[in-house]
Amino acid sequence: MAATTGGDLVCRALSRGGAEVLFGYPGGAILPFYDALYNHPALRHVLCRHEQGAAHAADGYARATGRTGVCVATSGPGATNLVTGLAAAFMDGVPVVAITGQVARPVIGTLAFQETDIVGVTIPVTKHGFLVQEVSDIPEVFSEAFRLAVSGRPGPVLVDIPKDVQAALVNEKTLSLSGRRSPELMEPLESTQEIKAAIQQVAKLLSEAERPVLLVGRGVILSGTAGKLSYLAERNDLPVITSLLGLDAFPASDPRALGMPGMHGTERANYSLQDADLVLGLGIRFDDRVIGRPDRFAPNARIVHFDIDATAIERTMRADIAVVADLSESLKMLLPLVPKADRTAWWERIREWNREADPTREPPRAGYRRIGPLGAREAIRSIARKISESNAIAVSDVGQHQMWLAQELGDVVPRAHLTSGGLGAMGYALPAGLGAAIGQPDRPVWVVAGDGGFQMSLQELATVVQEGIPLRIAVIDNGYLGMVRQWQESFYGKRYSGTQISGPDFVALGKAYGIPSWRVDRSEQLDSTLSLAAIEEGPVLIWMQVRQEENVYPMVPSGAALDEMITEPKRVSG
Amino acid sequence: MSQFVLVASLQDAIGALERLLGLLRRCALPIESLSLYQAEDNILEVVLRFGDLDTPEDRVAAEVSSLYDVLSVRRPDQASCDATRELAVVKTHGDLEPVLPETVSDVLQRHGPDSMELSGTPHAIDQALAYLREQGLITGVSRSGEMFPPGPHEIDT
């Protein structure tokens, strides 16, 4: 049998792992791999314009498809540029395998050109990192990397390969397992008997509860249990509150949907949580933006926490009962035990909180059109409508527009709302959107970004054009880093320090890349511009210049309890 | 002294120890003592004793278990904790009393003109060192960290 190279083994291992697309950027220490890639046309390489973009694109691909995303970078700066993207994937439980070139083994540790200990650098933001020391280890390491990325709570895994290992020749006959012990992966710790006992307790609590709520996170999407969730909610007449990353787990139009909880959650969601006597957390990690002040979260409720990740239990919030298991298994056990219920009294109470603070929410009267300067929330509401109508994937960046889109998002199916929730990485939307579009080529993808975040990754417009990706891009431009400005307005006496931001003529920018682009700054232009953009095959860019100082409400100030919401602008202090 | 002790078997791979220590520091867990030795080829045994924890013990064990290189985590029971041993090498001024109290003599293995070797439970070592410090006899101490005898009385997490 002929000898092959380490780089070739990597390509073959990627194919075995199910990879079809690699988002990457070549460089010196990864050259032998790229040379081997030349002979593997089934592996599509997408040349991003920055390694951070490559990592976000792999993340977007993974979130939209449920498959593991792959990104590639060279050593040193190439590798360190991946870090933000890996951290975003780590925080939100997204399976990504990142491949980095490393300097050759003999010079590791000598501060060689473009040398960085990337395994060390990424320890806190990956599930694991491998430094491949022998070419014969490559198949086994990649097998483990792909297995680990999707096991338990998914996440990123880094594989760092010295250049001489990529270039090394190996006879495939000599490849053998290294004898390395394969540690048990993060399977649930509890035995089935313990889970059964816990679930029986949960069913009992549900039958006794008068004011229960379901608090749903991304775990429902990862476990493919949106259908079971709907059944549970319907059978026991349960209100469903969906976190930012769980919005696409339950239809917004369902009468039992209360929307998003937490810092910019709906009144009905937050007040329901605070008044509940039972909170069932499904695949949610109770993060600080969701629960507000931990010691005053759901003060009257028993809390049940379903999660595949044992380390999520009691990380931020007490759990009266914890069910550590894959939701698909635990819900399968729970559903037959759940009694049918009618919770009319609870729903009447919830309806009292069913109002919104946004004054632009009222639709214009028949025969009239809204006119005047464009509002940001108003613009995003129109985009959200387009997203629902076209069964599109929505990808938001980070900031005010992200919250408005979350508040306005209509019915979307699982894996159709992508955003950097945990890390809150500005610059995420455009590259993640292009990754999502490559993974789901038959579905429209809308990228919604602020003028700040968009300018962090707009170099990826070139990738979009080179790859012919029909993204629909909306840049919500208020001339500020809007969310930071809102905090400065609310809590720092309107001292707008460092938050005014200028930008280019985004229409000219789009056109420079060959992208059909429009500008809209008045309400009366909104629908016609969106319709014009819809005719184009894409990519398209719409520059939405909106009123500058619009705020996101409701808002729970940092460190406050959920029922200490600011719902009206006039109540803002400072 | 805290009785919350974890014994982790760890694959001796690149970054394995850094990952474990990084996790413990990120979680701000108060480490009272840490000892490390090679138990088998490529397998490290790490014994961690924690101070007063704000974090539930189960979650600490789960966090450590979640690391890829960690092959197993054991939480020794009381009997095992009682059987734990630690070695301390103490440098002294040399003018040791002719008769040492039991707190020291019980753990004293041997002594020379300016050093002594103590072995016993960590608690007993603590007491002996406290006495020697009070007497102003110590000029330096080196402790091994504690070691657990493997046995059936250990509880796997």
Side-chain angles (χ1 to χ4, degrees), chain A residues 129 144 180-181 311 313, chain B residues 11 19 40 59 66 68-69:
Chain A
E144 282 295 279
R180 174 192 169 85
R181 284 197 200 178
T311 71
I313 306 299
Chain B
Q11 190 123 243
R19 276 183 187 272
E40 301 171 41
R59 221 175 68 70
S66 74
Y68 177 79
D69 289 313

Side-chain angles (χ1 to χ4, degrees), chain B residues 23-44:
Chain B
L23 170 75
L24 300 174
R25 300 323 293 169
R26 273 200 306 287
C27 297
L29 299 174
I31 300 170
E32 214 159 66
S33 76
L34 181 156
S35 60
L36 170 74
Y37 48 92
Q38 191 162 45
E40 301 171 41
D41 271 359
N42 295 319
I43 307 291
L44 299 176

Side-chain angles (χ1 to χ4, degrees), chain B residues 4-20:
Chain B
F4 182 51
V5 175
L6 285 181
V7 182
S9 288
L10 189 66
Q11 190 123 243
D12 188 10
I14 287 171
L17 203 53
E18 290 93 322
R19 276 183 187 272
L20 175 63

